[in-house]
Amino acid sequence: MKFLFDSDTWQEIYGSIRKNKARTVITIIGVLWGIFLLVVLLGAARGMENGFKKLFGNFATNSVFVWTQRTDTPFKGFQEGRRFKLNMNDIKALKSEYGDKIKFLAPRNQTNNLLVHNFKSGDFKVSGDYPVLDKIQKKKLIYGRFINQNDILSYAKVTVISEDMYKQLFDKGVIPIGEYIKINSINYKVIGVYGPSQGIDLDGDTAYIPFSTFKRVYNTANNIDWMVITADENTNIKQLESDVKLTLKSLHKVHPEDNRAFGSFNLGVEFAKFTDFLIGMQFLTWFVGIATLIAGVFAIGNILLITVKERTKEIGIRRALGATPKSIRQQIILESVFLTTVAGMLGIIFGGTILFFIDLATSSNEDIPLVNPTVNIPIIFIAFTTLIVLGTLIGLIPAHMATVVKPIEALREE
């Protein structure tokens, strides 16, 4: 290891670089561009991944939404175009048949109503729900709590409202918990206020009341408007959607091949598309980045081969004066490692700087799907280490060429 701290070794490397400034700069740029591209692309991929996570927010992504429409095929005495409603018996049947595949199942009812508090009012959605809804899409509560099972069992006239509804109905500074608002001319006690959902929000500003209370007040009997089904982690949500629809068709005497009777939106399938896109992008990022790195490292090898050719006479003189093949080999390899190290460090610095400015530019813009584009330190370390290893290996070729030079033949070179 003495040669690493030998001033003569570094003077020779410096002299070689100084003699070929343009060539050295081009070589460094080639490697720098490779690791710079890798860092920026990996950071952009991570930013997009964070953006998609923010888009889906706290929603259980392995979910499907199911509702009824008109039939498009006559079946068992029923004409085409028949309307029908989902009901609580469907919920029981699905739990019984697919209980091991379903993680959460939430029947839902919704309507629009005027909400009034003192002299302030606003027209908002009112939704009858079970506590399980908060597990499917976690509410960010600012005050109070969400609906619980006791509210369901006691038919409690309680409600959870959004922050915007709170600001519209209450004076600034008033704590709404325990206050009463009128929904459909009936007093409801405010038990919670939730903030805006991060990502997907299917409900918007909605006043949530217990499902049982909604049923009694709006006289919905056993009917429900739609349902949300969250599958177990190991369940194929697309297959579950198909199975559930087939079961519901049987329960409601709908033709098995009727494709219009039930509407659905499969969030799990959409999320899988985003996931596949991210995996493909990460693969492409690594492929392009590593290919560019390798191209840059090979450029260093080619430059060093030319350098060795130009320094044939010098190497011959050194050999004649007693320099060993090992010392010459070490000097060539060290020059290769030095160039790749400098290029790698510059590429990482420039890449990190670009990601910093991208983050500044996108952090305040919700329309750009990039959130906190960063690269993990271990990945940077692995990429940098790989670069050094490649620089060492590529340096072996010109180093070998330098050691096979015979002193007598080298001294004859003009």
Side-chain angles (χ1 to χ4, degrees):
M1 298 293 290
K2 289 183 180 180
F3 76 98
L4 285 174
F5 305 100
D6 188 351
S7 60
D8 290 339
T9 300
W10 289 104
Q11 283 178 3
E12 289 180 18
I13 291 174
Y14 173 71
S16 174
I17 292 173
R18 188 179 59 182
K19 277 191 242 179
N20 304 284
K21 292 179 184 177
R23 190 185 298 160
T24 301
V25 169
I26 293 172
T27 302
I28 288 177
I29 289 175
V31 179
L32 181 154
W33 177 251
I35 198 161
F36 167 82
L37 196 62
L38 181 63
V39 169
V40 171
L41 288 175
L42 284 175
R46 172 59 66 86
M48 291 192 71
E49 182 180 352
N50 293 337
F52 287 142
K53 286 180 179 178
K54 182 179 178 181
L55 172 65
F56 287 98
N58 296 320
F59 214 104
T61 53
N62 204 27
S63 299
V64 61
F65 310 87
V66 181
W67 60 91
T68 61
Q69 302 175 148
R70 290 183 182 272
T71 60
D72 67 2
T73 305
F75 189 64
K76 290 190 176 180
F78 292 102
Q79 294 182 346
E80 175 187 350
R82 173 171 63 98
R83 275 197 173 275
F84 59 99
K85 297 277 286 184
L86 293 169
N87 57 61
M88 292 303 294
N89 293 329
D90 299 330
I91 302 297
K92 292 177 183 178
L94 293 177
K95 284 182 177 179
S96 175
E97 189 163 351
Y98 305 106
D100 58 333
K101 297 180 180 180
I102 293 176
K103 187 175 182 180
F104 303 122
L105 178 53
R108 307 195 65 192
N109 278 321
Q110 281 189 344
T111 188
N112 286 309
N113 259 136
L114 184 69
L115 276 63
V116 180
H117 177 255
N118 294 336
F119 298 104
K120 296 183 177 182
S121 63
D123 194 44
F124 298 101
K125 283 190 290 187
V126 179
S127 182
D129 285 294
Y130 281 93
V132 71
L133 181 68
D134 193 40
K135 295 180 180 179
I136 295 173
Q137 184 179 26
K138 189 69 180 174
K139 297 297 178 184
K140 182 182 176 183
L141 290 170
I142 300 172
Y143 299 110
R145 63 174 177 83
F146 197 68
I147 297 163
N148 61 29
Q149 192 61 27
N150 286 333
D151 299 327
I152 300 292
L153 296 175
S154 62
Y155 297 84
K157 291 183 175 61
V158 295
T159 183
V160 182
I161 61 176
S162 72
E163 184 179 15
D164 287 342
M165 297 166 73
Y166 156 62
K167 290 178 179 178
Q168 186 167 333
L169 297 175
F170 291 85
D171 293 329
K172 187 175 182 181
V174 174
I175 303 299
I177 304 303
E179 296 286 327
Y180 285 85
I181 63 174
K182 286 188 176 182
I183 304 176
N184 197 28
S185 301
I186 299 174
N187 284 321
Y188 286 80
K189 184 178 180 181
V190 177
I191 60 171
V193 177
Y194 62 92
S197 295
Q198 186 181 49
I200 292 175
D201 186 1
L202 298 176
D203 294 335
D205 290 323
T206 299
Y208 297 99
I209 66 175
F211 186 90
S212 55
T213 306
F214 190 103
K215 174 182 176 180
R216 176 175 287 181
V217 169
Y218 294 96
N219 194 27
T220 58
N222 214 27
N223 296 326
I224 61 175
D225 290 333
W226 53 297
M227 67 176 75
V228 186
I229 303 169
T230 300
D232 186 77
E233 286 79 3
N234 299 320
T235 299
N236 185 320
I237 187 64
K238 191 171 183 179
Q239 183 60 49
L240 181 61
E241 176 191 9
S242 177
D243 293 342
V244 164
K245 282 186 175 182
L246 197 59
T247 299
L248 292 174
K249 286 175 182 178
S250 175
L251 291 171
H252 290 275
K253 296 180 174 58
V254 174
H255 194 284
E257 295 181 5
D258 189 326
N259 295 319
R260 193 178 69 178
F262 289 94
S264 62
F265 174 72
N266 198 318
L267 185 60
V269 171
E270 298 304 317
F271 183 74
K273 291 178 183 178
F274 284 124
T275 303
D276 292 342
F277 171 76
L278 287 174
I279 292 173
M281 184 176 177
Q282 288 173 347
F283 173 79
L284 182 62
T285 295
W286 278 105
F287 178 79
V288 172
I290 292 175
T292 311
L293 270 182
I294 292 173
V297 171
F298 271 108
I300 287 180
N302 290 331
I303 293 297
L304 290 176
L305 281 172
I306 295 171
T307 302
V308 168
K309 181 67 176 175
E310 292 177 346
R311 294 166 60 189
T312 300
K313 188 172 183 178
E314 176 192 331
I315 293 171
I317 293 172
R318 290 184 60 194
R319 290 289 304 277
L321 291 175
T324 63
K326 180 180 178 181
S327 64
I328 293 174
R329 185 186 305 114
Q330 288 175 339
Q331 195 255 331
I332 299 295
I333 292 174
L334 184 58
E335 185 174 340
S336 174
V337 172
F338 175 74
L339 290 175
T340 53
T341 301
V342 171
M345 292 177 67
L346 290 174
I348 291 170
I349 292 170
F350 290 154
T353 303
I354 291 297
L355 289 178
F356 174 75
F357 284 113
I358 290 175
D359 187 38
L360 282 181
T362 59
S363 58
S364 58
N365 193 333
E366 297 291 332
D367 296 330
I368 300 177
L370 278 176
V371 177
N372 191 25
T374 56
V375 184
N376 291 336
I377 295 298
I379 292 178
I380 292 294
F381 179 76
I382 291 171
F384 187 67
T385 303
T386 303
L387 183 65
I388 300 303
V389 171
L390 289 174
T392 303
L393 293 175
I394 204 68
L396 290 174
I397 300 173
H400 174 73
M401 296 296 293
T403 57
V404 298
V405 173
K406 296 180 180 179
I408 299 299
E409 293 179 1
L411 291 172
R412 288 176 182 168
E413 287 280 338
E414 292 296 336

